[in-house]
Amino acid sequence: PIADQDKQALADAKVPLAFRDTCGHLLIPLNKCRRETWWNPNKCGHYRHTYEECLYNSYLQRCEAKVQEKEVLKAMAAAEE
């Protein structure tokens, strides 16, 4: 996942605001392929897999950040006692 995206490229590709997250840059070639193949489910598999893998890795990063945040808060609470 990439934190800072090229907002103009996402706007030019007409990516909806809801999808302009850390994996939005991968949605541009995926949507282009989808439009060229009339949304054929047998095409664009590589692009779709790459995009979904990015979403999953982003999810894992958020989970790990939450775990680390809980550990820090737990350590701070223990230090106050």
Side-chain angles (χ1 to χ4, degrees):
I2 299 176
D4 55 342
Q5 302 285 326
D6 183 7
K7 293 177 180 27
Q8 189 59 42
L10 292 171
D12 292 343
K14 298 181 182 172
V15 175
L17 289 175
F19 295 101
R20 294 183 190 182
D21 55 2
T22 58
C23 298
H25 65 288
L26 297 173
L27 202 53
I28 296 172
L30 174 59
N31 283 343
K32 181 180 178 187
C33 179
R34 284 176 172 167
R35 282 190 293 274
E36 290 173 354
T37 60
W38 294 88
W39 275 263
N40 185 341
N42 299 324
K43 306 288 182 181
C44 310
H46 174 71
Y47 294 118
R48 188 177 72 246
H49 174 74
T50 304
Y51 177 67
E52 290 174 353
E53 182 181 24
C54 180
L55 291 176
Y56 179 68
N57 289 335
S58 176
Y59 168 75
L60 290 179
Q61 286 179 349
R62 290 192 310 270
C63 288
E64 183 62 30
K66 188 67 174 176
V67 167
Q68 290 177 358
E69 179 184 350
K70 286 182 180 180
E71 289 175 358
V72 168
L73 291 174
K74 189 176 180 181
M76 288 174 56
E80 289 177 358
E81 293 177 356

